[in-house]
Amino acid sequence: MKQQAWLSRVSLAVAPIIVALLLTGLLVIAVGGNPLQALTEVLRGGFRDVASFAGVVNFWIPLTLAATGLIVTFTAGLWNIGVDGQITMGAIFASAVALSWNLPGPLLVIAQLVAAMIGGAFWGAVCGFLKTRLGVNEIFGGVALNQIASLATLYMISGPWQPPEGGSVRGSPPFPPESLFPVISDEFSVSLVMLIVVVISLVMIGLALRGTRWGLSLKATGQNARSALLLGVPVNRSALSAFIVCGMLAGMAGAFRTQFAFTSPSIRPLVSGGIGFLAVLVALVVARRISWLPLVTFAFSALLGGSAQLKAVLRLDVALVGVLQGVLVLTILLFNGLRTRLESRTSDRSGTSATPTPSVSGSEAVHG
Amino acid sequence: MDIELRHIHKRFGPVHANNDINLTFLGGRIYGVLGENGAGKSTLMKILSGYQPADSGSILLDGTEVDYRNPQIALHYGVGMLQQDPLDVPAFTVLENFIFGAIGARGYRGHAAARLLREVCSRFGFELDPDTPIASLSIGGRQQLEIARLLALGVKTLILDEPTTGISAEQKTILFNALKSLAKNDGLSVLLVSHKLEDVIALCDEVAVLRAGKLVGTRALPATPSELVALMFGQILEPAQRIAVNLDNAAEAIRFENVTLRSKRLQVKDFNLNVRAGEVIGLAGLDGSGQELFLRACVGLAKPAVGHIHFEGRDMTGASFRQFLAAGAAFSAAGRLEEGLIAGLTLTEHTALMTEHHPVIDWGRARQRTINRIQTYHVRGTPESQIEQLSGGNQQRMLMALMPESAVLLALEQPTRGLDVDSARWIWQQLMVRRDIGAAIVFSSPDLDEIVTYSDRILVFYAGRVTEIPDARQATIDQLGRLIGGHNEEVPR
Ligand SMILES: Nc1ncnc2c1ncn2[C@@H]1O[C@H](COP(=O)(O)OP(=O)(O)OP(=O)(O)O)[C@@H](O)[C@H]1O
Ligand SMILES: [Mg+2]
């Protein structure tokens, strides 16, 4: 009996991956490729050599930061779609420091990170303010704020930060050398500082959610804001703080993107690279189990890292990896739902669902 | 339809919630299902209505064994249940819920549905406005809607798990008569889970009594309340006593000065009241007559449109709930899982929310405090239980256990909702201890007996109008019953 339950748990965890691979494999066949070859290329792609592995890690860092932030807002029952804009704002603030401040190297790096946190937090706070004070749903607010952040990037690039050679919207001039984040080696160009920042963020958020009044307040607010209020939780302040903390982490992800996303450190349009949206998917998949988060983000990063190979070797479209990710997320959520149903069959059907995801309104769970 | 339960077992971890239950319910009869809090009544009813499966045992409908996997299939067989905490959709209106609940079973829409709803309501004496959103309905109203929905679907067995009794004596008579006639003429069987023994005696033909998961006996009615109590608890309980306190020199706890309260549906106008420390004020009234609004105004959850509220002499008009909480007010609502408790959180997490105010939570201490509360309030559960895993009455005990110890004012909406007779009395003992150390208590209850027994003063609400009975000892239940139904008469002074 016990063993059987364990088996079904494992198979429910592995099954979505297999289903997702099968579905994508069908797609590969449909466009005339060899699915097995495609799979091996993707899996190998991120680990071909030191440089490609560095690429994976450099994607993993901002993705993990943003997803960690999202766990905070999800715990508070908030769909913080605006995280992409918070990344962008972080990038803009960091760029402002990098392009105009004169500080010795290490200080300038720290200043960029601090500025990025302020920028992201500011953008998160705006979303939180709209939500808690004016009753604007955070999804709509977030989408609008994402747009505004993109426009702000374009404006800065084509205006104040126009490169000396003149009118282009391709990007700002390269950041000065002192502003660059030191890397471990030329071969393995990964920032040790940022790795440490990621680990610290994960550990701190994990501990804070579990062991502090703040974390408990967020959880209470997310599960039932009305009751939380009656139990003495300042629900609006909780929600706002969740946005701010998420914004800080997303902002650092933005600063990181300016440093490592492009051939030379600079800010360009679409600096977030859609990492915010990917992070939302990750947060959906891990729900509130933060210990799973670094693994899941790593898997996503490896898949993306390997995707470059698809085009180079197999002449398949890179978008296939996007499809694989999408299908993977869908199947995982599907199987999560299935598991909840199965579990509730064996216990109590009228109970609440086992995988907590934020309710859309952020305050009221729909019964039934 | 005859129902037979054979060897039903259900365990939740170490708790044997149903232990080898064998019972037969015949069509056309009305049964009471009794038992102390946590005895396993809701569990058994949920099994019978498909909300959860039994671990073992079988259910026979008219002699054939059935295995329904969910409530829809049970409903298809004609077994429908009103849950202890109604499962409706708060954002929808009454009519929408009525229609929504029918999809998959019989599907009707628009005008036909509105007509059907009206018919059912007039037959059972319900007063439900089809366009009211559920969120602004009282618990009693939501339960009425659920009953109307099930009966319109043509259930053959109707299970009522603790319907609240916030209806007038006349409404209750209409409802009971309608149920009896349905049983007699249409063969409907009704299973009523209730702690209101008077209701059970008035309505039921027979009772089954559970204790600690086991069936301890069945008995045909009529019987007296004390006979039923003896069956439930294995002993006879002394009638509740209360010792009046001298309030002459008591300080003022809360004072309402020319206050007007408004909600979407009613207003309580130009209201004056002075509640003293150690005083107990009972609020009588049908569901939604203004007492809910008044209780919320006591703690800043409803703001006065006009007038002033003084708390311990301080003007706190317009202050927020958190400010009232900080000043020493406490509140508990009747809809405990919507307002007060948080499904998904453990008992320890609830305690921590109320007592741990440092940034870092000392989980060891919070757990110890939870254990203390569990012991003092006899909550059946562990610190690690999630609140929704507790039985209804045990949730209520936990809610009461969470009330801050040093409260100046306790505003309690139906403080003993869902508690068995013994626990209700026991909760009142705890409340009286708090009163003795100076807490003022303002409480509402659909149970007029409870109001007369424990109040110093009574306020009767009818459609927002307030009548004060300055000395509760002068009040009788009959008189209160007439007053809450809107019949004006001389109030004894
Ligand atoms: N989902 C669950 N998980 C764990 N334990 C449960 C669950 N549901 C019920 N129990 C336990 O089973 C026992 C019986 O609960 P049940 O709800 O049937 O009691 P009840 O007779 O309806 O009591 P009440 O009068 O308080 O409503 C209780 O001890 C309760 O804690
Ligand atoms: Mg119950």
Side-chain angles (χ1 to χ4, degrees), chain A residues 79-293:
Chain A
W79 285 95
N80 184 16
I81 303 294
V83 66
D84 213 65
Q86 289 148 25
I87 296 176
T88 308
M89 261 311 161
I92 294 178
F93 273 56
S95 304
V97 168
L99 286 169
S100 54
W101 284 21
N102 252 328
L103 285 173
L107 280 183
L108 194 54
V109 169
I110 293 172
Q112 284 178 73
L113 281 177
V114 171
M117 285 202 270
I118 294 173
F122 163 59
W123 220 228
V126 172
C127 196
F129 183 82
L130 289 175
K131 161 98 183 169
T132 56
R133 293 298 127 116
L134 305 178
V136 178
N137 185 299
E138 72 275 15
I139 296 182
F140 302 131
V143 169
L145 289 170
N146 287 348
Q147 289 295 337
I148 297 174
S150 296
L151 288 176
T153 323
L154 285 179
Y155 169 77
M156 294 309 282
I157 293 168
S158 56
W161 293 338
Q162 216 173 46
E165 64 266 23
S168 98
V169 287
R170 290 194 41 231
S172 69
F175 294 171
E178 315 83 74
S179 76
L180 303 191
F181 288 20
V183 293
I184 293 173
S185 74
D186 276 351
E187 263 282 88
F188 190 61
S189 63
V190 165
S191 160
L192 186 62
V193 182
M194 285 309 282
L195 275 180
I196 294 171
V197 167
V198 172
V199 173
I200 292 179
S201 308
L202 268 171
V203 171
M204 270 180 43
I205 295 294
L207 289 179
L209 288 182
R210 217 157 283 168
T212 66
R213 171 139 188 107
W214 177 71
L216 183 60
S217 299
L218 290 186
K219 188 175 171 192
T221 308
Q223 296 280 344
N224 181 343
R226 176 95 194 133
S227 288
L229 181 77
L230 292 177
L231 289 170
V233 175
V235 285
N236 282 340
R237 222 185 303 154
S238 284
L240 198 61
S241 71
F243 276 115
I244 289 174
V245 169
C246 180
M248 282 162 68
L249 293 168
M252 285 196 288
F256 182 86
R257 290 287 292 174
T258 62
Q259 292 280 334
F260 290 91
F262 311 113
T263 39
S264 60
S266 57
I267 180 164
R268 304 197 173 186
L270 305 180
V271 61
S272 80
I275 280 192
F277 297 109
L278 200 54
V280 171
L281 295 185
V282 170
L284 260 176
V285 166
V286 299
R288 283 202 310 254
R289 292 157 296 203
I290 197 168
S291 44
W292 283 87
L293 191 139

Side-chain angles (χ1 to χ4, degrees), chain A residues 348, chain B residues 12 15 17 37-43 84 162 195 389 391-393:
Chain A
D348 180 358
Chain B
F12 295 104
V15 179
N37 290 131
K41 306 179 295 293
S42 296
T43 304
Q84 202 163 1
E162 283 180 41
H195 295 294
Q389 296 176 335
S391 81

Side-chain angles (χ1 to χ4, degrees), chain A residues 209-217 219-235 237 288 341 344-352 364-368, chain B residues 10 46 50-53 69-70 86-90 296 301 321-322 325 331 336-345 349-350 352-354 356-361 363 388 402:
Chain A
L209 288 182
R210 217 157 283 168
T212 66
R213 171 139 188 107
W214 177 71
L216 183 60
S217 299
K219 188 175 171 192
T221 308
Q223 296 280 344
N224 181 343
R226 176 95 194 133
S227 288
L229 181 77
L230 292 177
L231 289 170
V233 175
V235 285
R237 222 185 303 154
R288 283 202 310 254
R341 281 188 80 111
S344 68
R345 249 195 78 61
T346 53
S347 58
D348 180 358
R349 257 175 231 127
S350 59
T352 46
E364 287 171 341
V366 173
H367 297 261
Chain B
K10 179 76 182 179
K46 283 187 198 162
Y51 281 94
Q52 59 188 200
R69 257 154 279 125
N70 61 45
L87 306 167
D88 44 23
V89 186
R296 283 168 175 74
L301 287 168
F321 172 71
R322 286 173 47 74
L325 196 66
F331 173 71
R336 51 191 169 232
L337 281 180
E338 287 92 41
E339 290 185 285
L341 302 173
I342 304 177
L345 261 57
E349 284 174 322
H350 278 90
L353 276 175
M354 285 305 275
E356 296 284 318
H357 291 284
H358 296 297
V360 175
I361 292 177
W363 284 114
E388 73 276 13
L402 285 172

Side-chain angles (χ1 to χ4, degrees), chain B residues 225-239:
Chain B
S226 51
E227 283 171 329
L228 294 184
V229 166
L231 257 179
M232 282 164 69
F233 301 102
Q235 65 188 59
I236 294 164
L237 303 171
E238 296 293 312

Side-chain angles (χ1 to χ4, degrees), chain B residues 252 254-263 266-275 290 293-311 314-319 324 459 461 464-466:
Chain B
E252 160 190 311
I254 191 168
R255 180 157 54 88
F256 285 72
E257 202 180 282
N258 304 322
V259 169
T260 297
L261 301 168
R262 290 206 185 98
S263 75
L266 92 180
Q267 74 170 4
V268 177
K269 233 181 132 185
D270 213 13
F271 178 76
N272 285 290
L273 180 76
N274 183 353
V275 184
L293 197 57
F294 169 65
L295 273 174
R296 283 168 175 74
C298 287
V299 293
L301 287 168
K303 309 253 185 309
V306 184
H308 290 274
I309 295 179
H310 301 265
F311 193 87
R314 207 144 52 90
D315 188 348
M316 294 207 20
T317 316
F324 271 95
L459 301 180
F461 286 75
R465 253 188 305 118
V466 188

